[in-house]
């Protein structure tokens, strides 16, 4: 389980596994994934390309059948009741496309009819206004820019007013301004009470949105928890200091650095040292080194980022549940 | 399923490639009839009494080609095109089952193929009737309708094969290439190849010169040789979809009104024509229907079981 108990789990999987091919061609795309996603949160599924993110979400909405394991989305079984899941879940797939010769409105009209919406025209207008495309609704999609298509993609996912919105690599190809607009839109959607699942390898762009995160590497979920939990409780390192020195540091100095309160880890590098700490220990580190007569040629101080968390887990650390 | 049908039907009808194919068909047929009219008027010869059979006979050849091309044009990217455009994942992430999707597409193709062939044939034949000053009888219209029905079967057979190829191959260009290759094999290569193979197997024709007073034995030898060659040719051509259509549609011309040894314009009732055509070519009809059903079933199974990675 992730986080507190007051929120309902909208996605739960148990040892969910997907194997493609047989024999020598066998590829385990998802390996015994136990995913838990809470309602009304932004849950990031993070991993490198080919990690199994897309396969995992494909299984959640019935686009791919699991090889083994089980799961529920909104209480529905992902194999037997996938149609019901798709009625209440919006997906923006990676590499999605539209019927280029149709207008934005006609594309959405088709999706609306597939969902059996009763008043599709007004709903289409509503979602196109949400994504800022209302003025170009009668323009053919082939005239749209990449950013406009991406917004149209979100509009189609929102059309059925889903409880869960799944976005697979949603900011690939977007310029910084469009990516910022996208982040603002996601914040608005969460305020409206939607659960948003974002699959990405671009943590820098989207990580700030996440309330929870699962790190998936080679088909395995290697870490899962709230952002705070993953950052502070699991890593226990809030800051990083890289110090380049002109001569090698003695073991005594290294040991003294380790003894500074708050230092959680330390790595001796070729030309210096990297220190991790759960609080700001920059002044103490510098004082110690200068007092010992160490000649410092470079000093870099930074707060640990999401990328560091991701790096930490993706480098083969054991599975962690916060 | 109706939503998919409605969308596909509109898309296909609006498709430039379909309009282009239909226009080409009508235009080339009208030109061929026009040149026929010019040829007769230049020679000052009267129109032959069984002119309707000549008109319908030429229609068979045109329909055979046009139906095949329409089937391929509508089917070659039915599934692979959705993959390539990235629309398949969006559509299948809606509350729809895959069988509804593929059946909706097939029904739309059935409707569009029927519409296209009826319209194209009507336009072509109307032009021919006006240019030649013909009066069509009920039986003639009925024969044309049957001919169009057979051409719909042929188009659906090509459509089914193309859909299967577009399900197997992820690229529409590959699917189109293989589909067109099949058409060339069925339409061009097999007829030529059948003659070559027949001659090779049957050997050289008997060295008997046609002359007055040939003996019955000599005539029998020639007939026997011809029968052998025809039998081998038929066996090879049995692999061609177009050949089966030609047998069905062609027999409508051969066994139809004012055709059997008469130039008086007497008419054979259409029910007799149907019985005659079907009794002689039931195999061809069954083969066309099998080639519609089997590839569609395989496509259906492959598509509903395919993984969207």
């Amino acid at each position: 389980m992730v986080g507190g108990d007051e929120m309902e789990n909208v996605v739960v999987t148990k040892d969910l596994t997907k194997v493609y091919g047989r024999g020598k061609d066998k590829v385990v795309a998802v390996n015994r994934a136990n995913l838990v996603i809470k309602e009304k949160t932004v849950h990031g599924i993070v991993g490198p390309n080919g990690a199994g993110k897309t396969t995992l979400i494909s299984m959640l909405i019935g686009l791919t059948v699991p090889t083994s394991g089980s799961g529920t989305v909104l209480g529905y079984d992902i194999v037997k009741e996938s149609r019901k899941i798709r009625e209440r879940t919006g997906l923006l797939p990676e590499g999605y496309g539209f019927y280029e010769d149709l207008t934005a409105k006609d594309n959405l009209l088709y999706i609306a009819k597939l969902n059996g919406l009763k008043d599709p025209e007004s709903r289409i207008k509503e979602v196109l206004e949400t994504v800022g495309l209302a003025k170009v609704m009668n323009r053919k999609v082939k005239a749209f820019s990449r950013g406009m298509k991406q917004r149209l993609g979100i509009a189609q996912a929102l059309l059925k007013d889903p409880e869960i919105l799944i976005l697979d690599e949603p900011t690939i190809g977007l310029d910084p301004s469009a990516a910022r607009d996208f982040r603002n839109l996601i914040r608005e959607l969460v305020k409206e009470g939607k659960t948003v699942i974002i699959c990405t390898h671009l943590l820098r762009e989207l990580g700030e949105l996440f309330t929870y995160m699962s790190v998936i590497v080679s088909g395995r979920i290697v870490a899962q928890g709230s952002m705070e939990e993953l950052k502070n409780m699991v890593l226990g390192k809030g800051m990083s200091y890289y110090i380049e020195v002109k001569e090698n540091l003695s073991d005594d100095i290294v040991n003294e650095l380790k003894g500074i309160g708050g230092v959680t880890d330390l790595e001796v590098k070729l030309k210096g040292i990297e220190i991790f700490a759960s609080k700001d220990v920059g002044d103490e580190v510098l004082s110690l080194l200068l007092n010992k007569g160490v000649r410092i040629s470079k000093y870099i101080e930074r707060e640990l980022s999401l990328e560091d968390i991701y790096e930490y887990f993706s480098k083969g650390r054991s599975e962690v549940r916060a | 399923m109706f939503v998919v049908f409605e969308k596909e039907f509109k898309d296909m009808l609006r498709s430039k490639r379909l309009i282009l194919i239909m226009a080409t068909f009508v235009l080339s047929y009208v030109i061929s009839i026009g040149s026929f009219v010019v040829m007769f008027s230049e020679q000052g010869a009267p129109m032959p009494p069984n002119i309707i059979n000549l008109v319908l006979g030429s229609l068979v050849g045109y329909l055979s080609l046009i139906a095949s091309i329409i089937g391929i044009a509508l089917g070659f990217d039915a599934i692979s095109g959705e993959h390539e455009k990235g629309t398949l994942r969006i559509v299948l992430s809606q509350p729809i089952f895959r069988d509804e999707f593929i059946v909706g597409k097939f029904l739309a193709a059935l409707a569009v193929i029927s519409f296209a062939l009826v319209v194209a044939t009507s336009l072509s034949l109307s032009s021919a009737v006006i240019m030649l000053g013909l009066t069509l009888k009920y039986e003639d219209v009925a024969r044309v309708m049957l001919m169009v029905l057979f051409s719909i079967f042929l188009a659906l057979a090509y459509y089914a094969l193309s859909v299967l190829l577009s399900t197997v191959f992820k690229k529409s260009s590959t699917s189109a290439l293989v589909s067109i290759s099949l058409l060339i094999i069925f339409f061009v290569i097999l007829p030529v190849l059948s003659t070559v193979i027949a001659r090779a197997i049957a050997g050289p024709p008997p060295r008997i010169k046609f002359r007055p007073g040939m003996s019955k034995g000599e005539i029998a030898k020639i007939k026997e040789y011809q029968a052998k060659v025809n039998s081998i040719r038929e066996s090879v051509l049995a692999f061609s979809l177009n050949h089966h259509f030609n047998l069905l549609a062609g027999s409508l011309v051969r066994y139809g009104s004012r055709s059997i040894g008469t130039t008086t314009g007497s008419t054979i009732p259409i029910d007799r024509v149907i019985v005659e055509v079907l009794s002689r070519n039931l195999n061809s009809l069954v083969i066309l229907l099998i080639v519609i059903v089997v590839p569609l079933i395989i496509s259906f199974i492959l598509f509903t079981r395919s993984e969207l990675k």
Side-chain angles (χ1 to χ4, degrees):
Chain A
M1 291 290 166
V2 183
D5 294 328
E6 67 278 5
M7 286 187 289
E8 195 184 327
N9 293 332
V10 287
V11 176
V12 180
T13 68
K14 174 87 176 127
D15 292 334
L16 200 61
T17 301
K18 180 68 193 180
V19 180
Y20 291 116
R22 289 177 187 173
K24 285 179 184 174
D25 299 328
K26 183 175 158 182
V27 175
V28 183
V30 174
N31 192 357
R32 299 172 69 90
N34 294 308
L35 181 70
V36 179
I37 296 177
K38 296 218 154 281
E39 64 173 347
K40 298 172 188 170
T41 61
V42 181
H43 193 114
I45 298 177
V46 181
N49 289 328
K53 305 184 293 290
T54 301
T55 304
L56 181 58
I57 59 165
S58 294
M59 286 192 282
L60 295 183
I61 64 165
L63 291 180
T64 299
V65 182
T67 307
S68 63
S70 61
T72 59
V73 175
L74 296 164
Y76 296 115
D77 185 276
I78 59 171
V79 176
K80 294 174 189 163
E81 297 169 298
S82 65
R83 185 175 182 146
K84 285 180 180 168
I85 293 170
R86 291 195 295 273
E87 280 173 4
R88 296 167 64 183
T89 308
L91 171 70
L92 176 67
E94 187 187 6
Y96 61 91
F98 292 99
Y99 299 100
E100 301 265 318
D101 285 330
L102 298 184
T103 63
K105 184 185 165 188
D106 285 344
N107 267 286
L108 293 190
L109 199 57
Y110 181 41
I111 303 293
K113 285 180 179 175
L114 287 173
N115 282 280
L117 297 190
K118 285 184 181 155
D119 185 10
E121 298 274 346
S122 63
R123 180 63 188 156
I124 287 169
K125 206 175 167 193
E126 200 178 317
V127 291
L128 285 175
E129 273 168 8
T130 303
V131 298
L133 289 177
K135 285 182 183 169
V136 291
M137 64 195 291
N138 290 316
R139 198 184 289 177
K140 283 187 177 177
V141 172
K142 64 182 168 192
F144 277 24
S145 68
R146 166 82 198 172
M148 289 163 85
K149 284 180 186 172
Q150 193 263 0
R151 281 187 276 164
L152 186 60
I154 294 172
Q156 69 78 27
L158 288 172
L159 201 56
K160 65 184 91 168
D161 194 16
E163 288 159 65
I164 300 176
L165 191 60
I166 303 175
L167 310 169
D168 194 2
E169 303 286 7
T171 55
I172 282 185
L174 291 189
D175 60 46
S177 160
R180 189 187 59 236
D181 291 346
F182 169 78
R183 289 193 292 272
N184 290 336
L185 176 62
I186 297 301
R187 288 190 186 98
E188 288 299 315
L189 293 172
V190 175
K191 273 186 201 165
E192 288 172 18
K194 299 205 184 303
T195 306
V196 181
I197 302 170
I198 299 177
C199 294
T200 186
H201 67 282
L202 302 172
L203 257 181
R204 200 180 293 271
E205 273 185 2
L206 295 168
E208 65 181 76
L209 290 171
F210 299 166
T211 37
Y212 290 85
M213 185 168 86
S214 300
V215 180
I216 182 165
V217 179
S218 302
R220 289 180 64 85
I221 294 178
V222 294
Q224 187 166 205
S226 75
M227 299 310 289
E228 283 306 303
E229 285 167 337
L230 288 176
K231 195 170 178 179
N232 297 324
M233 291 168 58
V234 181
L235 286 173
K237 307 167 187 175
M239 300 290 291
S240 153
Y241 305 90
Y242 175 72
I243 304 137
E244 207 168 282
V245 293
K246 293 196 171 173
E247 55 276 302
N248 288 340
L249 292 173
S250 68
D251 289 347
D252 288 345
I253 295 176
V254 172
N255 287 333
E256 282 191 49
L257 285 170
K258 276 182 185 170
I260 293 173
V263 171
T264 54
D265 204 356
L266 187 147
E267 280 178 39
V268 178
K269 309 268 183 180
L270 192 63
K271 290 183 177 175
I273 192 162
E274 186 165 16
I275 297 164
F276 299 96
S278 57
K279 61 176 186 176
D280 187 355
V281 295
D283 291 349
E284 288 162 273
V285 168
L286 280 175
S287 300
L288 191 149
L289 292 173
L290 293 170
N291 287 338
K292 296 284 180 185
V294 175
R295 289 188 296 162
I296 297 170
S297 54
K298 194 185 272 182
Y299 174 82
I300 300 169
E301 176 184 310
R302 66 185 177 92
E303 202 170 337
L304 280 174
S305 65
L306 288 168
E307 281 85 353
D308 295 304
I309 298 173
Y310 168 67
E311 284 289 312
Y312 180 88
F313 287 111
S314 63
K315 280 180 180 168
R317 276 21 181 225
S318 55
E319 195 169 324
V320 179
R321 295 259 179 270
Chain B
M1 188 197 305
F2 179 73
V3 176
V4 177
F5 168 82
E6 185 190 16
K7 189 253 170 200
E8 290 292 324
F9 184 73
K10 282 183 187 170
D11 278 1
M12 287 176 188
L13 272 192
R14 281 187 295 217
S15 124
K16 285 175 192 162
R17 70 174 91 127
L18 182 72
I19 295 167
L20 189 71
I21 292 166
M22 284 172 65
T24 309
F25 167 69
V26 174
L27 201 64
S28 48
Y29 186 74
V30 168
I31 289 170
S32 78
I33 294 294
S35 59
F36 182 73
V37 173
V38 169
M39 188 182 78
F40 271 89
S41 62
E42 276 177 355
Q43 291 176 353
M47 289 286 174
N50 60 346
I51 183 77
I52 184 67
N53 285 348
L54 292 175
V55 169
L56 295 186
S58 63
L59 191 63
V60 171
Y62 276 96
L63 274 177
S64 179
L65 185 61
I66 198 74
S68 313
I69 293 173
I70 288 177
I72 291 171
L74 297 183
F76 81 93
D77 62 349
I79 303 298
S80 54
E82 301 270 358
H83 267 294
E84 286 168 338
K85 283 182 278 192
T87 46
L88 195 59
R89 285 186 79 85
I90 284 192
V91 171
L92 295 183
S93 67
Q94 311 308 324
I96 179 177
F97 288 120
R98 292 185 189 196
D99 48 1
E100 295 174 69
F101 182 71
I102 197 163
V103 172
K105 267 182 178 280
F106 173 71
L107 292 179
L110 172 63
V112 170
I113 284 170
S114 306
F115 174 81
L117 288 170
V118 167
V119 169
T121 308
S122 304
L123 287 174
S124 306
L125 206 62
S126 305
S127 309
V129 164
I130 291 167
M131 284 192 287
L132 295 167
L134 291 174
T135 308
L136 291 182
K137 291 185 176 178
Y138 160 74
E139 281 76 13
D140 298 327
V141 175
R143 281 196 295 162
V144 172
M145 285 167 68
L146 272 174
M147 209 177 273
V148 172
L149 179 69
F150 294 145
S151 73
I152 290 171
F153 291 156
L154 177 68
L156 285 175
Y158 271 99
Y159 174 79
L161 286 172
S162 300
V163 169
L164 176 59
L165 292 168
S166 91
T167 312
V168 173
F169 299 114
K170 298 297 175 210
K171 283 187 175 179
S172 299
S173 53
T174 313
S175 164
L177 196 68
V178 179
S179 300
I180 292 168
S181 302
L182 280 178
L183 172 62
I184 293 171
I185 290 168
F186 292 157
F187 200 80
V188 181
I189 296 178
L190 277 182
V192 175
L193 200 65
S194 64
T195 307
V196 174
I197 292 173
R199 286 279 165 85
I201 294 175
R207 294 186 175 187
I208 301 168
K209 285 188 179 174
F210 285 95
R211 62 184 192 285
M214 284 171 72
S215 71
K216 282 185 180 178
E218 287 175 323
I219 293 171
K221 264 189 179 178
I222 291 172
K223 279 187 174 176
E224 189 189 340
Y225 176 78
Q226 272 309 324
K228 193 176 177 186
V229 167
N230 286 341
S231 163
I232 297 166
R233 280 196 74 227
E234 286 295 317
S235 304
V236 176
L237 285 171
F239 291 97
S240 165
L241 290 177
N242 297 75
H243 175 67
H244 293 294
F245 168 76
N246 290 343
L247 285 178
L248 283 163
S251 60
L252 278 171
V253 180
R254 284 193 297 278
Y255 310 132
S257 64
R258 291 167 275 170
S259 64
I260 304 173
T262 172
T263 55
T264 58
S266 64
T267 304
I268 299 172
I270 190 64
D271 52 346
R272 260 186 63 197
V273 174
I274 294 172
V275 170
E276 188 80 18
V277 167
L278 290 183
S279 64
R280 291 182 185 232
N281 302 290
L282 192 60
N283 287 351
S284 291
L285 184 63
V286 170
I287 286 170
L288 281 183
L289 294 177
I290 285 173
V291 179
I292 296 169
V293 174
V294 172
L296 280 178
I297 289 174
I298 297 171
S299 304
F300 181 88
I301 293 168
L302 289 177
F303 179 66
T304 50
R305 291 185 179 180
S306 66
E307 300 277 7
L308 277 185
K309 292 181 185 177

